Amino acid sequence: MTLEKQFDRVMEEAYYLAGKQVDYWANYFIRSLRQKGGLVTAKRMLVPQRGGTAQAGFQRLVDAGRPDLAIEHRVLEERFRTLFTPSELAEAQRRVDALPKHAIRKPVPPEANHPETLAETRTYEEGAVRRVLVSVYERDPAARSACLRKHGVLCAVCEMNFEERYGEIGEGFIHVHHKKPLAACRGDYQLNPEKDLVPVCPNCHAMLHTSDPPLSVEELKAAMDKRATD
Ligand SMILES: [Zn+2]
Ligand SMILES: [Zn+2]
């Protein structure tokens, strides 16, 4: 297989990975891949531009806590570097280097994992504002009821229903999880309770927060499916 064909394949894999893991199905991207191939698509995305679709896609992955899925990382792989010009490589590197530290996913140890009590007073070198906002969104009663009106009270990961499980006392009980932690730190962010919040049981909620930024609902479901078939 030629290097270019290998790159095509890696680009297509990147599309499906982002779709499956963070529910980002980049239509423009797959259309371009099929019409023009991976290399032309990547090169176009590496043209420096302000607020273009390439950056929007990159931002989408950053917001999902998965900048590692961005094609910039594939471009920078040692084996593919010869396919690109020095300025294309420099642009990819610039974008990767521009990521704030809090955008890069790191594990949260069990003793620090308290999704329901993300402390407002806790201070972080970076991301303090983000922490505060996330917990505010997850606790906001109006946002919560808008989310539950749309999605119901079943856990979006394991489908647990508290009333079914515990009877009357469980009626209406569920956590809501905010899916877009990093978007929250941008000044222009407007919460969309139907899209940005998701109902989850406390167990699944804690499992989503085993990473910071958190896992996506799709990733946690995939991990559970994998566990079930192991
Ligand atoms: Zn659950
Ligand atoms: Zn959460």
Side-chain angles (χ1 to χ4, degrees), residues 93-155:
Q93 192 65 56
R94 192 191 60 73
R95 291 181 196 173
V96 168
D97 290 346
L99 282 172
K101 228 195 288 167
H102 62 69
I104 297 156
R105 187 182 268 180
K106 47 211 156 305
V108 174
E111 65 275 17
N113 185 350
H114 312 291
E116 188 64 350
T117 53
L118 294 171
E120 276 89 341
T121 48
R122 239 196 293 179
T123 50
Y124 284 79
E125 190 187 337
E126 290 174 294
V129 174
R130 175 173 61 97
R131 280 283 191 178
V132 172
L133 288 177
V134 170
S135 81
V136 166
Y137 291 135
E138 293 191 350
R139 291 170 186 185
D140 174 8
R144 173 190 160 87
S145 44
C147 163
L148 299 185
R149 261 198 310 278
K150 167 83 178 173
H151 301 288
V153 294
L154 286 193
C155 173

Side-chain angles (χ1 to χ4, degrees), residues 115 118 134 138 176-178 205 208-209 214:
L118 294 171
V134 170
E138 293 191 350
V176 296
H177 169 67
H178 185 250
H205 197 190
L208 290 173
H209 283 280

Side-chain angles (χ1 to χ4, degrees), residues 2-4 6-7 39 43 74-86 88-89:
T2 66
L3 194 58
E4 208 179 318
Q6 281 179 43
F7 187 72
L39 196 56
K43 284 173 178 280
R74 306 290 84 77
V75 168
L76 291 168
E77 278 179 34
E78 205 51 53
R79 57 180 170 155
F80 295 132
R81 292 183 82 99
T82 54
L83 295 171
F84 296 93
T85 67
E88 286 164 346
L89 292 170

Side-chain angles (χ1 to χ4, degrees), residues 4-17:
E4 208 179 318
K5 279 262 182 311
Q6 281 179 43
F7 187 72
D8 276 345
R9 184 180 283 186
V10 162
M11 289 282 275
E12 191 160 330
E13 279 167 10
Y15 167 77
Y16 285 107
L17 221 56

Side-chain angles (χ1 to χ4, degrees), residues 154-160 162 174 199-205 220 224:
L154 286 193
C155 173
V157 181
C158 72
E159 299 181 358
M160 161 96 159
F162 281 80
I174 197 80
V200 286
C201 75
N203 282 352
C204 292
H205 197 190
L220 184 55
M224 289 172 78

